Amino acid sequence: DQQVKQNSPSLSVQEGRISILNCDYTNSMFDYFLWYKKYPAEGPTFLISISSIKDKNEDGRFTVFLNKSAKHLSLHIVPSQPGDSAVYFCAAFIRSGKSTFGDGTTLTVKP
Amino acid sequence: EPEVTQTPSHQVTQMGQEVILRCVPISNHLYFYWYRQILGQKVEFLVSFYNNEISEKSEIFDDQFSVERPDGSNFTLKIRSTKLEDSAMYFCASKRGGNTIYFGEGSWLTVV
């Protein structure tokens, strides 16, 4: 039972354009969601979070949107930069700390 | 900037041996986690730890695994009798409160 899904394994965008990464979940009991960026053989780097009681959170170039009725969240990066090229994971958490990660989406930003 | 540090960065061990992976969380953090990522697979939650006890653990975290915070700064993951399928990158993470969880760089465990 895959509770968190990132249906697009890869995404390619042009520098300066918007990158939109999507994530779907099945468990309505998740309390908050995080987006991470990861390079091979490195630890995940925290990008942005959103509580289940919010529908939007913004931090600089990163905005996360949560649609609870659709059980869907998305990460918008604008403008995209070549340094944003990495694997992006969404992760869903319950209060106890138990979490489920998506499979990741590889973002490539072309100069 | 404070960071979560993990040692060793890479360890090779014989099947059946005990392994201890060490983590130093960010100093004023209160919640601690271990995750693993088998090569080519997703990051998987193992255990969360708060107030000197396990608050949640996954199905992966069976009796061969244990965690400890022996001295108020280190947070360790022990694998009692390693199996080939324990080969993975193990990540420690911590948070003070709220929703921001910081990860370490990982310890790559190879069981041969």
Side-chain angles (χ1 to χ4, degrees):
Chain A
D1 174 30
Q2 195 170 6
Q3 294 191 65
V4 176
K5 277 180 142 177
Q6 293 175 254
N7 290 315
S8 300
S10 63
L11 174 69
S12 181
V13 300
Q14 207 64 38
E15 181 179 5
R17 306 295 290 269
I18 186 170
S19 296
I20 300 176
L21 298 133
N22 294 301
C23 182
D24 296 294
Y25 61 97
T26 56
N27 186 353
S28 58
M29 302 302 290
F30 288 128
D31 294 299
Y32 57 98
F33 304 87
L34 276 62
W35 280 96
Y36 286 93
K37 169 172 139 175
K38 189 177 181 301
Y39 298 107
E42 292 186 14
T45 300
F46 171 81
L47 290 173
I48 193 167
S49 67
I50 188 164
S51 164
S52 62
I53 61 172
K54 307 272 190 185
D55 53 22
K56 179 182 174 182
N57 188 26
E58 192 171 350
D59 184 2
R61 296 187 298 116
F62 302 97
T63 303
V64 56
F65 295 92
L66 176 62
N67 181 334
K68 286 184 286 293
S69 58
K71 295 191 177 70
H72 177 84
L73 65 155
S74 60
L75 174 68
H76 293 212
I77 307 172
V78 55
S80 302
Q81 300 170 353
D84 295 330
S85 297
V87 181
Y88 287 77
F89 291 94
C90 68
F93 288 75
I94 59 176
R95 282 283 162 234
S96 65
K98 189 169 187 178
S99 54
T100 306
F101 278 65
D103 290 309
T105 297
T106 301
L107 173 66
T108 304
V109 180
K110 297 178 179 176
Chain B
E1 186 176 309
E3 57 183 21
V4 177
T5 56
Q6 291 185 240
T7 54
S9 56
H10 190 192
Q11 181 163 352
V12 180
T13 190
Q14 293 272 345
M15 191 168 58
Q17 295 295 304
E18 176 182 284
V19 159
I20 297 176
L21 303 177
R22 291 183 167 80
C23 170
V24 179
I26 296 171
S27 63
N28 62 350
H29 283 194
L30 302 173
Y31 299 80
F32 313 106
Y33 309 88
W34 282 102
Y35 296 84
R36 78 173 185 191
Q37 186 177 27
I38 295 171
L39 191 63
Q41 297 186 23
K42 63 168 71 178
V43 175
E44 299 173 291
F45 168 80
L46 293 178
V47 67
S48 58
F49 191 88
Y50 171 71
N51 201 24
N52 284 320
E53 60 183 26
I54 290 173
S55 44
E56 185 76 68
K57 58 184 181 179
S58 71
E59 306 74 29
I60 302 166
F61 195 87
D62 61 21
D63 291 344
Q64 71 157 346
F65 290 92
S66 62
V67 289
E68 198 177 31
R69 189 155 158 79
D71 56 12
S73 62
N74 291 284
F75 180 52
T76 61
L77 174 70
K78 184 192 288 187
I79 310 174
R80 252 179 280 284
S81 177
T82 49
K83 304 192 279 268
L84 294 175
E85 54 265 37
D86 294 326
S87 295
M89 181 78 100
Y90 288 81
F91 295 106
C92 173
S94 71
K95 71 172 186 178
R96 168 118 182 108
N99 300 341
T100 305
I101 299 177
Y102 295 92
F103 280 72
E105 290 299 303
S107 292
W108 182 248
L109 176 65
T110 303
V111 183
V112 296

